[in-house]
Amino acid sequence: MLIVTTETVAGKELEMLGTVKGSTIQTVNAFRDIGAGLKTLVGGELKKYNEMMDRAREIATERMVEEAQRMGADAIVAFRYSTSSIMQSAAEIMAYGTAVKFK
């Protein structure tokens, strides 16, 4: 599945099929959260949170692609990520775009 952030695909005429999305809510375990809280006192990168967010983006993207495939899409254009905090230490990641078929 071709996924692009642009609204067009060079050299292709597109038939818009509709909006597609995939999302997940992820968190780290309590012990890692406590460790991250301590890390904020001294500064630095929160690697476990980076790993959590990377995995969340993968899951959300996979779910979006599955929805596009069910629609018979060849590609997803205008692709974006959105994130929001659900509760302390939990975040929702949403991947979304427009499913298209090549004419």
Side-chain angles (χ1 to χ4, degrees):
M1 174 80 51
L2 177 65
I3 302 173
V4 298
T5 59
T6 57
E7 295 181 11
T8 61
V9 176
K12 300 285 187 181
E13 189 176 341
L14 307 178
E15 174 189 346
M16 304 297 177
L17 300 178
T19 303
V20 289
K21 53 112 180 88
S23 68
T24 184
I25 298 172
Q26 297 285 309
T27 187
V28 295
N29 70 43
F31 295 112
R32 288 189 176 144
D33 193 39
I34 291 168
L38 295 173
K39 182 76 167 184
T40 62
L41 296 174
V42 296
E45 183 176 11
L46 301 173
K47 292 182 182 180
K48 291 301 176 188
Y49 282 94
N50 281 346
E51 292 170 9
M52 175 194 76
M53 295 302 283
D54 284 344
R55 182 65 186 131
R57 282 187 290 272
E58 288 175 17
I59 293 168
T61 302
E62 289 169 5
R63 291 176 179 172
M64 176 191 64
V65 167
E66 289 170 1
E67 185 176 328
Q69 288 172 333
R70 286 192 298 274
M71 296 171 77
D74 295 315
I76 298 169
V77 298
F79 169 70
R80 303 286 187 271
Y81 285 117
S82 174
T83 183
S84 62
S85 178
I86 300 301
M87 57 184 271
Q88 186 174 351
S89 304
E92 177 188 33
I93 296 290
M94 180 174 289
Y96 62 95
T98 302
V100 298
K101 190 142 189 79
F102 299 142
K103 288 187 179 183

